[in-house]
Amino acid sequence: MNPISENLGFEPPKAVATAWVVDGAIDTRHGPILYMEDVSVSFDGFKALNNMSLYIDEGELRCLIGPNGAGKTTLMDVITGKTRPDSGSVFFGQTINLLKMDEPAIAQAGICRKFQKPSVFDALTVFENLELALKANKSTWHSLFFRLTTEQCDRINDVLLTIGLSGCSQQRAGILSHGQKQWLEIGMLLMQEPKVMLVDEPIAGMTHQEIERTAELLLSLQGKHSLVVVEHDMEFVRSIASKVTVLHEGTVLTEGTMDEVQNDPRVIQVYLGGSC
Amino acid sequence: MKLISLASQDKTTSALLTVLLLVSIFIPLCNLLTAADSPLHFSAYTVSLIGKYLTFALLGLSLDLVWGYCGILALGHGAFFALGGYAMGMYLMRQIGARGVYGDPLLPDFMVFLNWKELPWYWFGFNNFGFALLMVVLAPGVLAFRSRVTGVYLSIITQALTYALLLAFFRNEMGFGGNNGLTDFKDILGYNIQSETVRSMLLLLSGGALIVAFLVCRWIVSTKLGRVVTAIRDQESRVRFLGYRVEMFKLWIFVFAAMLAGVAGALYVPQVGIINPSEFSPLNSLEIVIWVAMGGRGTLYGAIVGAVLVNYSKTLLTGLLPDAWLFILGGLFIVVTLLLPDGIVGLLQRKLKGQMA
Ligand SMILES: Nc1ncnc2c1ncn2[C@@H]1O[C@H](COP(=O)(O)OP(=O)(O)O)[C@@H](O)[C@H]1O
Ligand SMILES: [Mg+2]
C-alpha cells in the first residue's frame, strides 16, 4: 500500500510531470515530505536494502547511522534516482512518485545531495561551482544566454560567507583542502534551495573547528529544509540530531532520540557484536 | 562588440588572431594587386594550400570543442567535414551545366556515364547556392543529432559511422559519383573557380570563417553552458544531480561542432577541386584527433596551431618520403602524448612563463 492510496483513497496518477514540481506543488499536508516504503535493492543477489521504510517530516533534521555497508549511501542513491529499487515505493510529498523520474528531474524538484566522496568541479573556480548549482532554468538555451542578476550574485556571496570560502572564490576548486571541498559541496546544496537535503558523511577530513561549524550550519538549516544526514561520528550526531535512525543490513533497526538509540540492546549488539 | 572584447582577452588569442588576419588578408591582397612576376605574388598553388590549411584548422577547432571541452572523443568527426564537402560539391557539379564532357544540361557526367535518365530527387535544389549552404550545415547537423551522443561506445560508433559512409559513398548507385567522387568543377557563383581572384577570395573566406568560428567557440566556452560542459567532462554524473540534462548539453555541443566541420568541408572542396569517398576514411578522423592532441587540447587555439603545423609537415614530408608519413605521424603522436601532455601550445606557454620569471 503506498501513501497516496492510503491517504487519499485512490490510486496516484501513473506519470508525474515535472511541471507539477516546478509549481512547488509538493503536497505535505499529511506531514512527511519523503516516503520510502518497503524498498528493496539487491546487487547480484546481495540485499543492500531489505524492505526498508523511512519517513522524513517537513523541516526535520534526521541522522542516519549504522555500520559500514548498512545501506546508507544506497538509500540516498534510491531517493535521488541513481539506483532503481527492485520493489517498494518512494514518494516526494503525497503526489510525486520519485521512481518515475530521472536524476535531473528529481534534483529540479528539490531533492539535492552531497556525496560521500566530495565531488566538486576541480577545473572551475569556487564561484563558478556555486553558480552552476544556483537554482535557475537549467536548459541548454538558458545556460547559453545566462547572466547573473545582482540578487543571484549577492546570494552566491552570502553562501560563500556561510561556507567560509569568500577569500578563495576565484581559486580553482581543485586546490581546496578536503574539508574545504566538503564545505563547497554543502554550499552547492544551499545554492539549489532544495526542499530536501541528503548529506552523506559531511565531516570526513574536517578539523575539529570545521566540524563544529558544520554542526552549527546544519542546525541552522533545519526548519527551512528537511535534512537527512549520514554520519559515523557519534559525538557529531549527538550534537545535531533530535531523531536518529539506525540502519543495519539494509533495514531500519530502530528509531528514536540519541539516548534511546544508544541504550537499545539491539544497537549495542550491532555496534559491539559486529567486531567480534 | 562582444566578439571584440573576447578577441582581446589574452595575449595568445590576440597574437593568433593577428596572424590569421594577416595571412587571410595579406596574401589575397598581394595577389590581386601585384603582377604575376612580382616577388610578392603567391602562386595559385600556394594560395589554395594555405586556404586548405585554414579549413583544416577550422575542422580541428570544431573537434576541440567536443573533445577538449566536453570530453567526447569523437573518432568520426571527418564524416561531418566530408558531408559538408559533398553538399558544396553537389552545388559545384550543378554549376557545370551543359559544359560537361557529355553536354547534358541537367545530369552530371558520371550519371550520364551510368546511363541514368533523370536527376535523383536528392540532387534537386543544389543548383541554388543558398540551399546548398543550408545543406552544408544541415546534413552534418542532422547526422550528429541522430547519432545520439550517449554511452561509452560513442568513439567506436562514430568511427563505424564514418566507415559505413565511406562504403556507401563508394557505390555508384548512391549517386554521388562513386569512387571518383565529384570533380571537374567549373565555376562558383558564376566566377571561374580556377581563377586567382576566386582562389584568393576563398582563402579570405576560409580565414574569415576560422576567425569568426574561433570567437564564437570562445564565447560559448565562456558562457554558463561552456562551464556546464566542462563540468560534464570532469564529473558527468555530478552534473546530473545538479538538475542539468547532460545528454542535451552533449548533443548541443556535438551538433554545433558537426555544423562547423561541415562549413570547413564546404570551404575545402572548391579549393582542392575534388571531393571523393576517401574523405570519409576513418584514418582522416584519427588525424584530426592527432592535430588537436599535438596542438594542445581544450584551448581552442591549440587545435588551430596543431592542424596547421601537422598539415604543413605532411605537405613537406609526403613530398620527400611519401610512404613514411603514417609512421612519422604515429611516432609524433606518441612523442607528444608522452612528453607534451598539453601539446605544443602548452610547451610554448611554459617557456614563456619561464622567461618572465
Ligand atoms: N553498485 C554496487 N554494486 C554492488 N554492490 C554495491 C553497490 N553499491 C553498494 N553495494 C553494496 O551494498 C552495501 C551497502 O552499501 P552502502 O549503501 O554504500 O553502505 P553505507 O553507505 O551504509 O556504508 C555494501 O555491502 C556495498 O558493498
Ligand atoms: Mg556510505
Side-chain angles (χ1 to χ4, degrees), chain A residues 80 102-105 107-108 113 115 119-121 123 128 131-132 138 140 143-147 185 192, chain B residues 2 219-220 223-225 227-228 230-231 233-235 238-245 248-249 252:
Chain A
T80 52
D102 62 0
E103 297 113 311
Q108 282 177 14
R113 162 174 198 187
F115 285 78
S119 33
V120 297
F121 304 112
E128 288 168 342
E131 185 207 24
L132 277 202
K138 290 181 171 168
T140 43
S143 303
L144 188 60
F145 294 105
F146 178 79
R147 294 222 142 177
E185 208 179 344
Q192 296 177 76
Chain B
K2 198 165 194 176
W219 173 69
I220 289 175
T223 64
K224 189 174 148 199
L225 180 135
R227 290 190 285 281
V228 174
T230 313
R233 178 191 66 193
D234 296 341
Q235 290 212 40
R238 187 72 184 89
V239 182
R240 255 183 246 287
F241 290 105
L242 290 181
Y244 293 96
R245 300 216 160 266
M248 296 311 290
F249 282 80
W252 196 97

Side-chain angles (χ1 to χ4, degrees), chain A residues 42-44 46-49 66-77 83 116 200-201 230 232 247 250:
Chain A
S42 53
F43 297 110
D44 306 321
F46 170 76
K47 287 218 161 190
L49 289 184
N68 254 328
K72 306 178 297 289
T73 300
T74 307
L75 180 146
M76 295 196 168
D77 288 345
T83 301
Q116 180 169 347
D200 204 348
E201 306 203 5
V230 165
H232 284 300
L247 280 190

Side-chain angles (χ1 to χ4, degrees), chain A residues 30-51:
Chain A
H30 299 277
I33 191 165
L34 203 60
Y35 298 81
M36 291 183 85
E37 293 198 333
D38 297 328
V39 172
S40 292
V41 173
S42 53
F43 297 110
D44 306 321
F46 170 76
K47 287 218 161 190
L49 289 184
N50 192 359
N51 281 325

